[in-house]
């Protein structure tokens, strides 16, 4: 949702954090390769997400803190990632 993306970017900029929006996982990986990002906020409702994708992302960028947003409260398909790789 573009409105929510703008709101989140605005909140981050108030705290003096930069933000970049990537609409595809490949674009995110390319962006992470070109920067020293400390965190990624993934909207797990936007595209199919699973434990394997999260694990590969964390293995490729071990310093990265991964946060997720979703309209759903539960994500059984991400149970392993939630216990090992996702911060919140």
């Amino acid at each position: 949702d573009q409105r929510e993306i703008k709101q989140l970017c605005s909140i981050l900029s108030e705290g003096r954090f930069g933000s970049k929006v990537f609409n595809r996982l490949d674009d995110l990986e390319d962006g992470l390769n070109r920067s020293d990002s400390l965190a990624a906020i993934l909207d797990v409702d936007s595209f199919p997400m699973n434990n394997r994708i999260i694990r590969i992302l964390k293995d490729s960028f071990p310093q990265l803190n991964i946060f997720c947003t979703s309209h759903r409260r539960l994500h059984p398909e991400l149970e392993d990632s939630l216990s090992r790789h996702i911060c919140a």
Side-chain angles (χ1 to χ4, degrees):
D1 171 307
Q2 291 300 319
R3 185 181 59 79
E4 289 177 345
I5 290 171
K6 287 180 183 180
Q7 286 177 331
L8 182 55
C9 289
S10 175
I11 291 168
L12 290 171
S13 68
E14 287 173 13
R16 291 177 257 159
F17 296 100
S19 62
K20 293 184 182 178
V21 176
F22 301 101
N23 294 316
R24 297 175 350 139
L25 188 58
D26 291 340
D27 295 339
L28 170 63
E29 290 182 50
D30 290 343
L32 291 172
N33 280 320
R34 287 186 259 119
S35 70
D36 294 329
S37 298
L38 299 175
I41 303 171
L42 306 176
D43 178 359
V44 297
D45 297 332
S46 293
F47 53 89
M49 187 63 62
N50 60 46
N51 289 311
R52 182 178 167 276
I53 293 170
I54 298 289
R55 186 179 62 249
I56 290 170
L57 190 59
K58 189 62 177 177
D59 287 347
S60 299
F61 306 97
Q63 80 289 355
L64 187 69
N65 295 293
I66 300 173
F67 299 89
C68 292
T69 64
S70 176
H71 290 283
R72 299 184 325 185
R73 290 181 50 88
L74 298 174
H75 286 273
E77 74 281 8
L78 296 175
E79 183 177 352
D80 184 57
S81 291
L82 286 165
S83 67
R84 297 173 188 239
H85 305 298
I86 297 172
C87 296

